[in-house]
Amino acid sequence: MNKNSEPSERTDVQKYPDELTQKMKITLDKNDFSAWYNAIIELAGLSDKRYPIKGMNVWLPYGWKLMTNIDKLIRDEMTRTNHEEVCFPVLIPKTEFQKEADHIKGFDAQVYWVTQGGETELDIPLLLRPTSETAMYPMFALWIRSHADLPLKNYQIVNVFRYETKQTRSFIRVRELHFFEAHTCHTDFEDAERQIQEDLEIMKNISKKLCLAYLPNKRPDWDKFAGAVYSIGIDCLMPSGKCLQLASIHQYKENFSKAYNIVYESETGEHKHVHQTTYGMSERLIGAVIGVHGDTKGLILPPELAPYQVVIVPIFSKGENAKILEECHKLQDELLANGIRVHLDERDIRPGNKYYDWELKGMPIRLELGPKDIKAKQVTVVPRDTGKRVQLRVDNLSEQLKQILAEFAERLYEKSKNLLESSINSPKTLDDAKDKFGILKAGWCGDIGCIEQIEKYLDVSMLGTPIENVKFKGECLVCGKPTEIFGYFSKTY
Amino acid sequence: MNKNSEPSERTDVQKYPDELTQKMKITLDKNDFSAWYNAIIELAGLSDKRYPIKGMNVWLPYGWKLMTNIDKLIRDEMTRTNHEEVCFPVLIPKTEFQKEADHIKGFDAQVYWVTQGGETELDIPLLLRPTSETAMYPMFALWIRSHADLPLKNYQIVNVFRYETKQTRSFIRVRELHFFEAHTCHTDFEDAERQIQEDLEIMKNISKKLCLAYLPNKRPDWDKFAGAVYSIGIDCLMPSGKCLQLASIHQYKENFSKAYNIVYESETGEHKHVHQTTYGMSERLIGAVIGVHGDTKGLILPPELAPYQVVIVPIFSKGENAKILEECHKLQDELLANGIRVHLDERDIRPGNKYYDWELKGMPIRLELGPKDIKAKQVTVVPRDTGKRVQLRVDNLSEQLKQILAEFAERLYEKSKNLLESSINSPKTLDDAKDKFGILKAGWCGDIGCIEQIEKYLDVSMLGTPIENVKFKGECLVCGKPTEIFGYFSKTY
């Protein structure tokens, strides 16, 4: 296009059906959240759910870019902590899958089975991995010989498959799931426990970059991962008032290593089973970023995730366009040189349409530069979340923008933290707890019957108990017995 | 570890079975190539074929790193040419798969079928994509409305599945295949032809970065892609004398758009079917890099692909270790600052073991720094391919190394080009052509019977005819009729 052309009618901004843009404008309360969430995914071009298999969606270019940006944040943490990336086959023989009894019980109802290759019926049916324990562990048994091979810290970022019978929802409950899974082997329980502490630290780093606050919960025994000794769930509160599990961390002890015969020779020559852990996250991270940060104008992306942190929009004025563009290019070069991801939007459409586009896509900062700004040696800056225009002097602009980006990220994180913390309720009775928004914190006597009453009466699930020792003195919400234990409960995705 | 410790016995270099290292030392002639190829993959830790499904191998950390480095080269070219990355589901409903008659005929015998989800028999069987035409095109039909949506240029990098009945071989013939596929839609045949020219240019750039020479061939009609109007195969010659197809580019015209009803409204308001092309590459690129460049010491990696372009090995000397390491760190910082990917190997093992390791892994340049070098203000540099030690002055070292890396890449490319060009034979008779190493160039009268005789008598396949007009005057190798057409033939993987 002609860089110096005057602004003309909007031509290349796609026009969306009114019905969709209307849905976006619905207030973000818990009743309308679902319609808003679906509309924003369609409008921002993240995922297309019209693929002819229910719950298997197509990643559109912008959605895939955000997902791979999250993958990059994960890979950076994995490299920092000396995990090595591998890639295992999608298919697992039934015979390997069946070796750990609890595991197969947990997944049997939701695996896809491959029974035929070409015209040939397969001797041993193969399943599409729902998770990769049973693919990896026969190989770990071959790879691990001695204590010098430990710890083994592997991970992969792949798609996994679950034959879901519940209602599907983009990024939150799907049948083909973009998945991160780390699998580690250790000499003993203590080293495996250290790994779990490292996983929690990684989780903290990643969620800080995504500006998401969360509650870590030790899942109740009946809800732990199939084959685990215990499971930690990382729960995030969505504006709907429901919790979304972002990640899970599992302690397996020797459950799998005994089933798969993963044995090492210790320094003293004994043969011992390894202790194992896993850490999993998925495309739900995108679901949380959309849901927790977004507003009625579209996505709001954390600066660490956004493809561009700053978008420059030239404000043209008859006769001055060449000069304005020249200044924009200078600005772009300066910000790039200072490590800011910046894009100059030179499209031949009205500035207002550009604002609409970049707001929908969630870029953190819009920077406008027009003839008045140039005269005054300033730029106009508009953070996506506040929408408040600010004029900045051009001197030392990169440093000022970095500061604004840091504050922007902090605001997003604080908003998420406030939503979470202000939504934890501690009612005195079951009736007081009825239909409360968010998370229920309730004393619990230790009797499973009382949990069942809470879950049934309030239509919630137990998230679990805190992973760290927290002092508590209270009564069981159901039977009133004094107790020092409490649990968290909520509706969940 | 203690950075200043004195060298001691090799501890963390894995010891491989003698049988394997012996296989590596076998001369690289065509008879032993296969044993050498398998040994190098195992020794360098690229892939593990002991996974309990034949032809589905595990990507080990080093192999996966090389593959993702190649993916990055591809993504860079895709970005440059305005392709957008998407990610489609692995599973395709049988009903969609069956819409293009030739396509299903070509793939029916080699697809894996998913027939069951949990305990439930699926109403419509699903297949694991062998390639993604039939997954993508129903969606393209929804996405494309008008000429303004064209050209549509999408690609994805995913795994695909083929129920191979032939013998499998790591990276060359596997049942789960790491795959790049670009799919484009155009207003007319001419624009699709321009796309194919762009694909050929991309191929040229990527193969130059991988230092691989190739022959582009228009495949004979009976060997074109299932559903294509014509196919171009990109063939590389391996040291075994067999050709390996590195990539393929297909012109579909309206074959698929008619089957999937992909229609656009032209500027004049007519409804027309789009013209389509595809471009595919796979993990065979790694197979070619291993086979074409490697030697009896291990891999030899092109500088654009190598995880490190330079590895610094400190040569310790009693009492001077701290100073030597300090100089090594200074050197590392300087090279990094100049954009060279460099690694400082501080492991507490003998230098000789480090040499062995990095040679096996194929890093282009080893840089040794010992007390003599420091005194003389020089470094010792050893290119992986020649193994010849050269002393360089430390002034302006980065520029000197960049020059050496460029020459190194040029040598690899020239070696590949020489292998290819010197292996093209033009014998006068079928008997002269018998058991010749490499590629046969033969005049052809145009009669299919003559091709059949060549293929059968010599046990070769027709690669095809040149994609550009090349002047030729000769006789048909079989019947002797004068002709202006010729074809290439060889044994193939």
Side-chain angles (χ1 to χ4, degrees):
Chain A
M1 65 163 276
N2 178 359
K3 286 185 177 183
N4 303 325
S5 61
E6 300 292 324
S8 62
E9 240 328 292
R10 155 176 187 171
T11 57
D12 65 340
V13 176
Q14 204 182 330
K15 286 196 175 86
Y16 296 98
D18 277 351
E19 187 206 352
L20 261 183
T21 41
Q22 280 313 313
K23 271 193 191 153
M24 282 277 296
K25 299 227 162 64
I26 290 166
T27 317
L28 262 176
D29 71 25
K30 62 177 172 177
N31 296 318
D32 296 327
F33 179 79
S34 197
W36 170 86
Y37 180 83
N38 291 336
I40 201 174
I41 287 170
E42 196 169 337
L43 276 170
L46 301 178
S47 170
D48 195 328
K49 59 182 179 192
R50 291 173 294 173
Y51 190 76
I53 302 175
K54 187 176 96 91
M56 297 197 175
N57 304 333
V58 178
W59 289 92
L60 298 175
Y62 194 53
W64 190 237
K65 183 178 281 290
L66 298 186
M67 190 69 245
T68 50
N69 282 0
I70 290 179
D71 291 344
K72 192 180 173 313
L73 298 179
I74 296 172
R75 285 195 171 94
D76 288 347
E77 282 293 313
M78 288 291 107
T79 303
R80 183 182 69 76
T81 52
N82 294 316
H83 286 75
E84 289 194 296
E85 187 168 356
V86 292
C87 187
F88 273 73
V90 169
L91 296 176
I92 302 169
K94 185 175 185 177
T95 41
E96 294 299 333
F97 182 62
Q98 288 179 328
K99 283 187 179 165
E100 211 287 331
D102 286 338
H103 190 70
I104 181 166
K105 241 195 283 164
F107 280 102
D108 212 17
Q110 46 175 329
V111 293
Y112 283 97
W113 290 101
V114 175
T115 56
Q116 201 180 320
E119 305 283 307
T120 313
E121 186 93 5
L122 299 177
D123 290 341
I124 298 169
L126 309 172
L127 60 107
L128 291 170
R129 63 179 162 226
T131 169
S132 300
E133 280 75 3
T134 61
M136 289 184 172
Y137 298 173
M139 300 306 288
F140 286 6
L142 297 173
W143 296 348
I144 293 169
R145 286 280 161 266
S146 104
H147 63 93
D149 299 323
L150 299 174
L152 180 82
K153 297 165 77 172
N154 278 343
Y155 75 100
Q156 65 180 12
I157 297 180
V158 294
N159 286 8
V160 297
F161 301 82
R162 311 228 169 131
Y163 182 65
E164 291 283 353
T165 46
K166 293 187 198 170
Q167 202 199 339
T168 57
R169 189 188 304 268
S170 303
F171 307 129
I172 290 181
R173 186 174 298 279
V174 289
R175 289 174 159 191
E176 178 173 355
L177 184 66
H178 190 69
F179 192 57
F180 153 85
E181 49 181 330
H183 294 255
T184 66
C185 299
H186 306 267
T187 50
D188 52 30
F189 179 71
E190 287 67 35
D191 200 52
E193 287 289 292
R194 271 192 293 275
Q195 183 57 49
I196 287 174
Q197 289 308 311
E198 185 177 88
D199 294 344
L200 288 168
E201 185 195 314
I202 292 168
M203 189 70 233
K204 204 167 159 184
N205 293 342
I206 289 171
S207 68
K208 199 72 208 276
K209 285 178 178 169
L210 299 179
C211 305
L212 294 172
Y214 62 84
L215 205 59
N217 284 299
K218 190 167 172 182
R219 292 274 183 260
D221 260 7
W222 58 88
D223 196 29
K224 67 189 184 189
F225 183 80
V229 172
Y230 70 80
S231 294
I232 294 171
I234 303 295
D235 298 309
C236 169
L237 188 68
M238 294 282 263
S240 60
K242 288 189 190 178
C243 275
L244 180 68
Q245 176 179 298
L246 292 185
S248 54
I249 298 167
H250 310 290
Q251 169 64 269
Y252 293 161
K253 277 193 174 165
E254 299 159 300
N255 281 358
F256 283 92
S257 66
K258 283 183 175 161
Y260 289 88
N261 200 27
I262 313 175
V263 172
Y264 72 98
E265 188 175 320
S266 75
E267 289 194 63
T268 55
E270 290 165 279
H271 287 82
K272 293 181 168 182
H273 287 102
V274 301
H275 284 248
Q276 293 181 277
T277 80
T278 57
Y279 176 17
M281 293 190 281
S282 78
E283 60 183 80
R284 285 187 158 195
L285 289 169
I286 282 202
V289 165
I290 297 168
V292 172
H293 302 316
D295 67 11
T296 51
K297 289 180 175 175
L299 300 172
I300 299 183
L301 296 178
E304 293 268 2
L305 173 60
Y308 305 118
Q309 297 168 318
V310 174
V311 173
I312 303 175
V313 178
I315 309 296
F316 290 118
S317 174
K318 268 216 163 77
E320 297 187 73
N321 291 0
K323 193 189 160 197
I324 290 165
L325 258 182
E326 193 194 321
E327 290 295 322
C328 285
H329 276 286
K330 264 202 252 171
L331 210 56
Q332 184 187 26
D333 292 343
E334 185 195 326
L335 301 190
L336 275 178
N338 282 286
I340 295 173
R341 292 196 298 279
V342 56
H343 175 73
L344 170 55
D345 186 350
E346 299 189 42
R347 285 178 297 170
D348 188 17
I349 54 174
R350 288 180 194 282
N353 288 331
K354 293 180 182 177
Y355 300 171
Y356 168 88
D357 242 29
W358 295 114
E359 281 170 356
L360 177 60
K361 291 212 164 78
M363 301 308 164
I365 293 180
R366 182 173 83 228
L367 195 156
E368 305 168 7
L369 193 72
K372 280 185 208 159
D373 296 305
I374 293 175
K375 241 168 252 154
K377 296 202 174 177
Q378 67 180 27
V379 297
T380 300
V381 164
V382 190
R384 170 67 181 81
D385 61 335
T386 63
K388 239 173 96 175
R389 305 167 84 86
V390 193
Q391 267 77 34
L392 297 182
R393 305 286 307 161
V394 292
D395 324 293
N396 205 21
L397 186 62
S398 296
E399 287 315 306
Q400 294 183 75
L401 287 173
K402 280 180 190 174
Q403 179 65 28
I404 289 175
L405 284 167
E407 289 165 5
F408 174 87
E410 196 53 36
R411 277 198 306 276
L412 289 197
Y413 180 73
E414 284 300 319
K415 199 183 128 213
S416 167
K417 192 158 163 259
N418 285 340
L419 173 66
L420 177 67
E421 289 179 355
S422 70
S423 307
I424 298 178
N425 310 296
S426 303
K428 295 277 173 232
T429 68
L430 260 183
D431 277 325
D432 283 351
K434 191 88 185 159
D435 295 327
K436 273 247 174 6
F437 181 91
I439 296 166
L440 164 67
K441 178 181 174 181
W444 173 42
C445 62
D447 186 75
I448 288 188
C450 289
I451 300 290
E452 283 171 354
Q453 278 207 48
I454 294 179
E455 292 197 340
K456 206 169 165 189
Y457 189 68
L458 302 178
D459 188 21
V460 294
S461 300
M462 186 176 191
L463 301 173
T465 50
I467 60 169
E468 275 156 10
N469 276 333
V470 188
K471 278 213 172 147
F472 179 79
K473 262 201 161 128
E475 293 89 39
C476 176
L477 185 70
V478 180
C479 69
K481 273 193 203 138
T483 177
E484 297 188 355
I485 311 171
F486 69 92
Y488 291 112
F489 301 79
S490 82
K491 296 189 193 299
T492 60
Y493 283 100
Chain B
M1 63 161 280
N2 179 359
K3 286 185 175 182
N4 303 324
S5 60
E6 301 292 325
S8 61
E9 239 327 290
R10 157 176 186 169
T11 55
D12 65 339
V13 176
Q14 206 182 328
K15 286 195 176 87
Y16 296 98
D18 276 352
E19 187 206 352
L20 262 182
T21 40
Q22 280 313 313
K23 271 193 190 153
M24 282 276 298
K25 299 226 162 67
I26 290 165
T27 318
L28 261 176
D29 71 26
K30 62 178 173 175
N31 297 316
D32 296 327
F33 179 79
S34 196
W36 170 87
Y37 180 82
N38 291 335
I40 200 172
I41 287 170
E42 195 169 336
L43 277 169
L46 301 179
S47 171
D48 195 328
K49 59 182 180 192
R50 291 173 294 172
Y51 189 75
I53 303 175
K54 187 177 97 90
M56 296 197 174
N57 303 333
V58 177
W59 289 91
L60 298 175
Y62 193 54
W64 190 237
K65 183 178 281 290
L66 298 186
M67 189 70 246
T68 50
N69 282 1
I70 291 179
D71 290 344
K72 192 180 171 312
L73 298 179
I74 296 172
R75 284 194 172 95
D76 288 347
E77 283 292 313
M78 288 292 106
T79 303
R80 182 182 69 76
T81 51
N82 294 315
H83 286 76
E84 290 194 295
E85 187 169 357
V86 292
C87 187
F88 273 74
V90 169
L91 296 176
I92 301 170
K94 185 175 185 176
T95 41
E96 295 298 333
F97 182 64
Q98 288 179 328
K99 284 188 180 165
E100 211 286 330
D102 285 338
H103 189 70
I104 180 165
K105 241 195 283 163
F107 279 101
D108 212 17
Q110 47 175 329
V111 293
Y112 284 97
W113 290 101
V114 175
T115 55
Q116 202 180 319
E119 305 284 306
T120 313
E121 187 92 6
L122 300 178
D123 290 341
I124 298 169
L126 309 172
L127 61 108
L128 291 170
R129 62 179 163 227
T131 168
S132 300
E133 280 75 4
T134 61
M136 290 184 172
Y137 298 172
M139 300 306 288
F140 286 5
L142 298 172
W143 296 347
I144 292 169
R145 286 280 160 264
S146 103
H147 62 92
D149 299 323
L150 298 174
L152 179 82
K153 296 165 78 172
N154 279 343
Y155 75 102
Q156 64 181 13
I157 297 180
V158 294
N159 286 8
V160 297
F161 301 82
R162 311 227 169 133
Y163 182 65
E164 290 283 354
T165 46
K166 294 186 196 168
Q167 200 199 339
T168 58
R169 188 188 305 267
S170 302
F171 308 130
I172 290 180
R173 187 175 299 279
V174 289
R175 288 174 160 190
E176 179 172 355
L177 184 65
H178 189 69
F179 192 57
F180 153 85
E181 50 181 329
H183 294 254
T184 67
C185 299
H186 306 268
T187 49
D188 52 31
F189 178 71
E190 288 67 34
D191 200 51
E193 286 289 292
R194 272 192 293 276
Q195 183 57 49
I196 286 173
Q197 288 308 311
E198 184 177 90
D199 294 344
L200 288 168
E201 184 194 314
I202 292 168
M203 189 68 233
K204 204 167 160 184
N205 293 342
I206 288 171
S207 68
K208 199 71 208 274
K209 285 179 179 170
L210 299 179
C211 305
L212 294 171
Y214 62 85
L215 205 60
N217 284 300
K218 188 165 172 183
R219 291 275 183 260
D221 260 7
W222 58 88
D223 196 28
K224 67 190 185 188
F225 183 80
V229 171
Y230 70 80
S231 293
I232 295 171
I234 303 295
D235 298 309
C236 169
L237 187 68
M238 295 283 262
S240 60
K242 288 188 188 179
C243 275
L244 180 67
Q245 176 179 300
L246 292 185
S248 54
I249 298 167
H250 310 290
Q251 169 64 269
Y252 293 162
K253 278 192 174 166
E254 299 160 300
N255 281 358
F256 283 92
S257 66
K258 282 183 175 162
Y260 288 88
N261 201 27
I262 313 176
V263 172
Y264 73 97
E265 189 176 320
S266 75
E267 290 194 64
T268 55
E270 289 166 281
H271 287 81
K272 293 180 169 183
H273 287 101
V274 300
H275 285 250
Q276 292 180 279
T277 80
T278 58
Y279 176 17
M281 292 189 281
S282 78
E283 62 185 76
R284 285 187 157 194
L285 289 168
I286 283 202
V289 165
I290 297 167
V292 171
H293 303 317
D295 67 11
T296 52
K297 289 180 176 178
L299 300 172
I300 299 182
L301 296 178
E304 293 269 4
L305 173 59
Y308 305 118
Q309 296 167 319
V310 174
V311 173
I312 303 174
V313 178
I315 309 298
F316 290 118
S317 176
K318 269 217 163 78
E320 297 187 72
N321 292 359
K323 193 189 161 199
I324 291 165
L325 259 182
E326 194 194 319
E327 291 294 322
C328 285
H329 277 285
K330 264 202 252 171
L331 210 57
Q332 184 187 26
D333 293 343
E334 185 196 324
L335 301 190
L336 275 178
N338 282 286
I340 295 173
R341 292 196 297 279
V342 58
H343 175 73
L344 170 55
D345 186 349
E346 297 189 42
R347 285 178 298 171
D348 188 16
I349 55 175
R350 288 180 193 280
N353 288 331
K354 293 180 184 179
Y355 301 171
Y356 170 88
D357 241 30
W358 294 114
E359 282 170 356
L360 178 59
K361 292 211 164 82
M363 299 310 162
I365 292 179
R366 180 172 85 229
L367 196 156
E368 304 167 9
L369 193 71
K372 280 184 210 160
D373 296 305
I374 293 174
K375 240 169 254 154
K377 298 202 171 179
Q378 67 181 25
V379 298
T380 301
V381 164
V382 190
R384 170 66 181 82
D385 60 333
T386 64
K388 238 173 97 177
R389 307 167 83 85
V390 192
Q391 269 77 35
L392 296 183
R393 304 287 307 161
V394 292
D395 326 292
N396 205 22
L397 186 62
S398 295
E399 288 314 306
Q400 293 183 76
L401 286 173
K402 281 181 189 173
Q403 180 65 27
I404 289 175
L405 284 166
E407 289 164 5
F408 174 88
E410 197 53 35
R411 278 198 305 277
L412 290 196
Y413 180 73
E414 284 300 319
K415 199 182 126 212
S416 167
K417 192 158 163 257
N418 285 340
L419 173 65
L420 178 67
E421 291 179 354
S422 70
S423 307
I424 298 177
N425 311 297
S426 304
K428 294 276 173 234
T429 68
L430 260 182
D431 277 324
D432 283 351
K434 192 90 187 161
D435 296 326
K436 273 247 176 5
F437 181 91
I439 297 166
L440 164 67
K441 178 181 173 182
W444 172 42
C445 62
D447 186 74
I448 287 188
C450 289
I451 300 291
E452 282 171 353
Q453 278 206 50
I454 294 178
E455 291 196 340
K456 206 167 164 192
Y457 189 68
L458 301 177
D459 189 22
V460 295
S461 301
M462 186 178 190
L463 300 173
T465 51
I467 60 169
E468 276 155 10
N469 276 333
V470 188
K471 279 212 171 151
F472 179 79
K473 264 204 156 129
E475 294 89 38
C476 176
L477 186 70
V478 180
C479 70
K481 273 191 204 143
T483 178
E484 297 187 355
I485 311 170
F486 70 93
Y488 290 112
F489 301 79
S490 81
K491 295 190 193 300
T492 60
Y493 283 100

